[in-house]
Amino acid sequence: MGKTIEIICVGRIEPRKRSLELAQKAEESKIRILFVGSLANSKSKYSREFLKLLETSSYIRYVGSKNQFETWKLMSSSKILFNASFTEVLSLVEIEAASLGCFRSEEHTSE
């Protein structure tokens, strides 16, 4: 299977994971990114801003929560897994992505 997804971000959409900030940077840089994971709080301002950005972006895709097999399939089709969380060191999803041939990149700073 070819690497058809440039960048993937797997995990809940929430401030701790910096999903919105990553989406905004991808939009500004015109870089395509796929987000996989549930909204931590669908009624929060953070989630609403994330979803609003999706409506106008041609670079950001969001597929919601997927089961483990579907997530692995998406990661194996991805060139890069990006983890922008500022609280995790090495997450299980990063180890899984690496085992599937997906290069991992991380940004673990708290601005």
Side-chain angles (χ1 to χ4, degrees):
M1 177 180 275
K3 303 285 186 182
T4 57
I5 301 168
E6 287 295 321
I7 300 174
I8 191 170
C9 181
V10 177
R12 283 184 309 279
I13 308 301
E14 63 180 348
R16 184 174 62 92
K17 303 280 189 171
R18 297 183 352 177
S19 315
L20 176 59
E21 294 82 349
L22 181 55
Q24 290 167 334
K25 291 295 181 187
E27 178 67 21
E28 290 170 17
S29 304
K30 297 181 177 13
I31 296 171
R32 296 193 188 285
I33 187 167
L34 173 67
F35 286 88
V36 180
S38 61
L39 294 170
N41 178 353
S42 61
K43 297 182 192 307
S44 73
K45 180 181 177 187
Y46 193 87
S47 293
R48 288 192 314 269
E49 287 182 25
F50 179 81
L51 294 172
K52 184 178 179 180
L53 180 58
L54 287 175
E55 292 174 9
T56 59
S57 177
S58 56
Y59 298 97
I60 303 162
R61 281 185 45 219
Y62 174 59
V63 295
S65 184
K66 298 291 180 188
N67 67 40
Q68 192 173 35
F69 177 77
E70 292 171 315
T71 301
W72 287 343
K73 191 172 177 183
L74 290 168
M75 286 192 299
S76 68
S77 296
S78 302
K79 295 177 184 175
I80 299 170
L81 172 97
F82 199 92
N83 179 4
S85 172
F86 57 84
T87 59
E88 295 176 10
V89 181
L90 181 62
S91 67
L92 178 58
V93 73
E94 290 175 288
I95 295 168
E96 291 171 338
S99 73
L100 295 166
C102 180
F103 178 78
R104 70 178 189 86
S105 180
E106 57 190 330
E107 176 63 35
H108 297 299
T109 60
S110 59
E111 297 186 46

